[in-house]
Amino acid sequence: MSDSDHTKLWGPATGVGSLPGGDAREAARAATGSFEDFPFLAELPARGPGADMIGRTIGMLVDLYAHVEPSGWRISDRPGRDTRRARSWMGEDLDALEEFTQGYEGPLKVQAVGPWTLAAALELRGGEAALGDPGACRDLVGSLAEGLHGHLADVRKRIPGARVVLQLDEPSLTAVLRGHVRTASGYRTYRAVDRQVVESALREVMGVHDGPVVVHSCAPDVPFALLRRAGAAGVSFDFGLLTERDEETIGEAVEAGTKLFAGVVASTDGPLSDPGGSVMGVRTLWRRLELNPGTLAESVVVTPTCGLAGASPAYARAALAHCARAARSLADNPE
């Protein structure tokens, strides 16, 4: 596959998801203007409940509703104000993205929360997380799969030239696998979920999309091998959290053709190094793994370390532009 074919499936750099502020058109302008060849659907959690990562995905669920309690999102019998607001904001964000992607052809990324982070965050009527109830987890997986199917169809209808890349946000995945998710009282933790159960739920949700799926987690110890087995075509992670323990699995992932969405640009305000410096660690890793430097630009998509909701608007714009420049530097000087 030539470089030009590769860029059709993925662009060299993109955002993670969230941006600061509450203006959908402003966000769409930033997300499409910074990444002309890999725009993304921006999320604006500052607008309030329903615009947050969990609420947004709850708005997509089919036959499953939730409302906001002081402790977080809780299952309801019927769609209420919070669900309606989540859907209305999603519609607004899609309208804005559609406006700024007229005639666009190429990869486009949309994000939703994956089944395990959703199960860890969503409370059942008694106040405990769905994670503690295997039946509730199964219902959630089915509802999410169906809801994503509809959401992706809507995106394709609005932006017919787009090759949609689905990103599943799974920041709680490692905690779920290790039994580190705390119960409502905070005194206990939920039992670790069996790896095969985790993998098969991810596979079911990924299976609704006929394009590539990327799984994002900005937590340490991302389970690269499990995600690959479940069908992830790419893994998005905070590059600064990698340890030597991860290197072998990363090498295997790259050789198997998994795309690495390397979070190398800080997601909160601070000085930005030169673009080449931002990707220095990626080049070094390639050397240590004895991978061919010529494959770097093909294998890596440059992103911020996590969502940019906590950054100032000026820094968020600068960080997105910096990702695009860092990706160019990687392509121009892989060594």
Side-chain angles (χ1 to χ4, degrees):
M1 206 187 245
S2 76
D3 263 2
S4 62
D5 289 340
H6 261 285
T7 46
K8 288 179 187 158
L9 203 50
W10 317 92
T14 191
V16 171
S18 67
L19 290 176
D23 183 330
R25 290 187 74 252
E26 199 47 56
R29 184 185 282 115
T32 55
S34 310
F35 304 113
E36 286 164 14
D37 33 21
F38 201 178
F40 65 100
L41 176 62
E43 302 166 6
L44 301 171
R47 292 183 294 201
D52 60 303
M53 187 169 98
I54 300 291
R56 231 172 138 71
T57 302
I58 283 169
M60 293 180 201
L61 298 177
V62 173
D63 297 334
L64 230 169
Y65 313 107
H67 63 277
V68 178
E69 291 276 337
S71 52
W73 285 88
R74 186 170 294 184
I75 294 272
S76 321
D77 294 323
R78 59 184 72 82
R81 193 185 56 202
D82 298 327
T83 309
R84 282 197 296 274
R85 202 165 38 200
R87 288 176 181 166
S88 147
W89 275 326
M90 176 65 88
E92 216 175 279
D93 294 339
L94 285 168
D95 288 346
L97 185 67
E98 191 178 347
E99 179 188 338
F100 286 98
T101 49
Q102 291 296 313
Y104 174 72
E105 292 186 358
L108 166 80
K109 186 166 71 67
V110 298
Q111 306 82 223
V113 176
W116 295 106
T117 297
L118 204 53
L122 184 58
E123 297 173 1
L124 301 177
R125 289 179 182 81
E128 290 299 345
L131 185 63
D133 179 335
C137 286
R138 281 194 295 275
D139 291 346
L140 198 52
V141 169
S143 172
L144 176 62
E146 202 179 328
L148 274 172
H149 187 265
H151 174 62
L152 293 163
D154 184 25
V155 174
R156 282 193 293 266
K157 195 165 79 219
R158 288 165 173 271
I159 309 160
R163 273 175 296 281
V164 181
V165 175
L166 170 63
Q167 173 180 306
L168 293 176
D169 291 317
E170 280 285 16
S172 304
L173 184 60
T174 303
V176 166
L177 287 164
R178 294 201 172 155
H180 290 172
V181 178
R182 296 203 165 279
T183 57
S185 69
Y187 294 127
R188 292 189 307 111
T189 54
Y190 293 101
R191 182 180 297 140
V193 181
D194 180 84
R195 294 182 86 83
Q196 261 153 339
V197 172
V198 167
E199 193 182 312
S200 92
L202 285 166
R203 188 177 295 114
E204 183 178 335
V205 173
M206 290 184 203
V208 302
H209 184 39
D210 54 10
V213 180
V214 178
V215 178
H216 167 72
S217 170
C218 44
D221 297 323
V222 176
F224 285 91
L226 181 148
L227 295 175
R228 255 179 50 220
R229 285 197 305 273
V235 181
S236 166
F237 57 98
D238 178 342
F239 191 82
L241 297 177
L242 289 184
T243 64
E244 277 179 34
R245 270 209 317 273
D246 299 307
E247 289 188 2
E248 196 179 324
T249 17
I250 286 195
E252 285 165 8
V254 170
E255 284 176 343
T258 305
K259 199 82 172 179
L260 301 183
F261 282 60
V264 295
V265 177
S267 51
T268 49
D269 291 49
L272 289 164
S273 71
D274 69 293
S278 297
V279 284
M280 188 61 85
V282 183
R283 290 194 187 96
T284 308
L285 174 66
W286 238 245
R287 273 201 299 277
R288 276 211 301 276
L289 294 173
E290 297 179 354
L291 293 165
N292 169 10
T295 62
L296 250 177
E298 268 170 42
S299 306
V300 174
V301 175
V302 176
T303 72
T305 53
C306 208
L308 290 160
S312 66
Y315 177 82
R317 283 192 300 273
L320 297 180
H322 194 83
C323 288
R325 284 199 295 270
R328 254 197 310 279
S329 147
L330 206 52
D332 295 345
N333 320 303
E335 307 276 358

